[in-house]
Amino acid sequence: SVMKILTTSMAIDQGLVTPDSTYNDTGSVEVSKYRILNWDFSANGTTTVRKYLQKSLNTGSVWLGQKIGQDKFYDYVKAFGLGESTHVGLSGEAEGTYRTPNDPNWYPVDLATNSYGQGLATTPLAMLTAVSSMANKGVLMRPYVVSKIVTKNDVRTFEPVQVRQVVSPKTAETMMGLMRDVVDGTEFHGAQVKGYQVAGKTGTTLVSIPTGYDLDSTIASFAGFIPAQDPKISVLIKIDQPTGGMNLGGQVAAPIFATVAEQIMKYYAIAPATPQKNLVRAP
């Protein structure tokens, strides 16, 4: 469901919706004879874009994907870099895979499932790089591992490289607000960090197997920035096949983000902002 960040940004960037635009969530949507349900089987009635993200509703992503249309959707997916390596400079980096309408095996239901993150594959680094464009005024940046190489004779320095403008700065700013509402606007959200605003999104997907998906195992994730009003770091937590009775991104990945993010804030001596009184920190 981290993919929902990108899908929502596409629709906003195209001027198709605002955070307060609504759709009628009946709990399911039919696409090419396939019935797509919300992850929690809920039906929420009139639902805003903001609420759909907070509740991570699959029906909302399908609604937005249909508004965007197949051509624009996959243009954006390519622009976000999900089908290529990030060129981070490490050997063996995998490229993402997804089908497009030009593929004979592509079907309209692929647009629906791709919109909320199923039916395509990407690496955690590529996804975090794409999501981080929201914190960089809509610009996709090339990640790098080494900042400089010092030898006896010279110093070679590596600087951040802008890849491309994917969405407008205004869209990125709007998405930052929505991602902040997902975390700090949701009571007891596991990614909340006391004293700081957090922007982010959980993700839970089934594990892919040769015959489809393993219904008994998940990959839990959370991607986000801190501090949300002036992001200094972005973090993606990915837990493969969590056990112990909890297997959702919000249950296992979000709390780890909170712990790691809080420690990094202390390490970099980034002072906390005044806590918002209307927010409640998870115990």
Side-chain angles (χ1 to χ4, degrees), residues 5-38:
I5 295 172
L6 306 187
T7 298
T8 306
S9 74
M10 299 175 197
I12 290 174
D13 200 52
Q14 287 293 302
L16 301 171
V17 295
T18 70
D20 297 317
S21 296
T22 62
Y23 77 104
N24 181 32
D25 173 30
T26 62
S28 67
V29 60
E30 296 261 345
V31 180
S32 300
K33 298 182 181 179
Y34 292 91
R35 188 168 177 240
I36 296 172
L37 305 172
N38 288 322

